[in-house]
Amino acid sequence: MPVEAFVYGGLSAVIAELVSYPIDTCKIRLQVQGQITDDALTAIKYRGTYHTLQSVIFEEGFASLFNGFRFAALRQATYGTLRFGIFFTGKKIWNKRGGSDKNLPFLVSLGVTAGALSSIITTPIDRMKVLSQSTAQSRKRTIANTFRRIYSRGGLSGLYQGKWPNAKRAAVVNGVEIPCYVFVKDRLTNTFGLEDNTYTQFLTALLTSAVGILFSQPFDTAKTRIMQQKTYRTDIRVYEGFIDMCRLTISNEGQQALWKGAFPAWCRNAPWNVTFFLSLEQFRKFDQWINKRDQSYF
């Protein structure tokens, strides 16, 4: 099986992660505060995206905005490679058999499958990333040290803590964003007659970001809060799962708390998707040129 979709998908994801990472740190700081389950996180320290950005830089230094980037890069190099590779390989097979990009239910089911499988496999990396971003770090830890630390305190279950909320979030994100991009771009170019150029791709990626956040933010909040919890401690209330997290959050903080960090999430997601899809389109052209074919593999 050709590996172009996997390689170019992973490279595009790493580039997009680098561009948007400081905003992702702000989003996670906003998501974890206000929880009554952990006294260290009960206080509302940050007030919005700009205040979070300003506070982190002033109190911890600019480099703190990139806490855990090594984990994020590794995550995208694995998770990004898998989810985009599985999706675009599946779509290519579908197209070869006469399937259309206008078949939204098929694209959604393919995106959901690719996202869920990829996220479960890479959950340990995602948890290391969340832990490194959620609070100030007194010293930087290597990937190997962080892995050993989590495993020594929680074993294999500690490494895979939050795997189901993570899988649900990834299923929703991938079931919405990738099919949305493919479907909307197909409609804009084939129905409305727009050229398949950078402008069209930029507009499609922006719309994809907004739709993705609308559907996925509650799952993202659940994933962040569950992964951030230190289950080895006996003095905190540990969430029993996605439903329990939602119930406690709504009862103590209100329904809107499930969308905590939605604006920084969009501020992060918009440049992420724009960078990713524009990079992927360039890799698609490169694939056509390097392999001397009329159409890219993916």
Side-chain angles (χ1 to χ4, degrees), residues 216-235:
S216 68
Q217 192 60 20
F219 296 94
D220 190 60
T221 299
K223 181 207 80 167
T224 298
R225 289 193 167 192
I226 291 173
M227 282 188 167
Q228 178 273 332
Q229 284 200 309
K230 301 174 177 63
T231 55
Y232 59 87
R233 286 174 50 184
T234 58
D235 60 328

Side-chain angles (χ1 to χ4, degrees), residues 40 74 103 174 199 254 257 260 278-279:
L74 178 60
N103 191 323
N174 285 273
Y199 176 73
K260 266 188 176 181
L278 291 184
S279 298

Side-chain angles (χ1 to χ4, degrees), residues 21-200:
Y21 196 77
I23 303 298
D24 189 47
T25 298
C26 293
K27 180 205 72 172
I28 285 181
R29 295 289 181 101
L30 287 166
Q31 284 179 318
V32 300
Q33 67 178 1
Q35 301 179 75
I36 65 166
T37 57
D38 188 344
D39 291 340
L41 297 169
T42 302
I44 304 296
K45 181 179 180 180
Y46 305 111
R47 303 185 305 276
T49 309
Y50 179 74
H51 181 253
T52 307
L53 199 65
Q54 189 180 47
S55 298
V56 172
I57 293 173
F58 180 75
E59 296 172 7
E60 304 168 35
F62 180 79
S64 289
L65 292 173
F66 288 88
N67 277 350
F69 180 72
R70 61 177 72 85
F71 306 117
L74 178 60
R75 175 179 177 267
Q76 290 300 343
T78 51
Y79 168 68
T81 296
L82 287 171
R83 68 168 175 148
F84 293 115
I86 291 170
F87 179 86
F88 285 110
T89 299
K91 188 175 86 70
K92 186 68 175 180
I93 295 171
W94 169 256
N95 292 150
K96 277 187 176 180
R97 295 181 178 179
S100 170
D101 285 351
K102 293 182 176 67
N103 191 323
L104 194 56
F106 172 78
L107 294 178
V108 169
S109 63
L110 183 59
V112 166
T113 302
L117 285 175
S118 303
S119 70
I120 290 175
I121 293 170
T122 59
T123 291
I125 304 169
D126 209 3
R127 183 157 191 246
M128 288 189 283
K129 169 183 168 288
V130 168
L131 287 173
S132 65
Q133 283 181 292
S134 59
T135 55
Q137 302 291 303
S138 57
R139 63 188 182 93
K140 308 299 181 186
R141 296 182 183 276
T142 65
I143 292 173
N145 285 340
T146 305
F147 184 93
R148 283 195 295 268
R149 187 165 177 259
I150 295 173
Y151 184 78
S152 67
R153 289 176 169 177
L156 195 60
S157 61
L159 289 170
Y160 279 90
Q161 184 176 315
K163 62 182 179 297
W164 296 123
N166 195 28
K168 290 170 186 173
R169 174 198 171 275
V172 172
V173 168
N174 285 273
V176 172
E177 288 187 348
I178 310 178
C180 181
Y181 182 84
V182 172
F183 181 80
V184 171
K185 194 180 82 163
D186 178 78
R187 296 282 295 194
L188 289 176
T189 54
N190 294 327
T191 304
F192 295 98
L194 295 182
E195 291 185 25
D196 186 3
N197 55 22
T198 302
Y199 176 73
T200 302

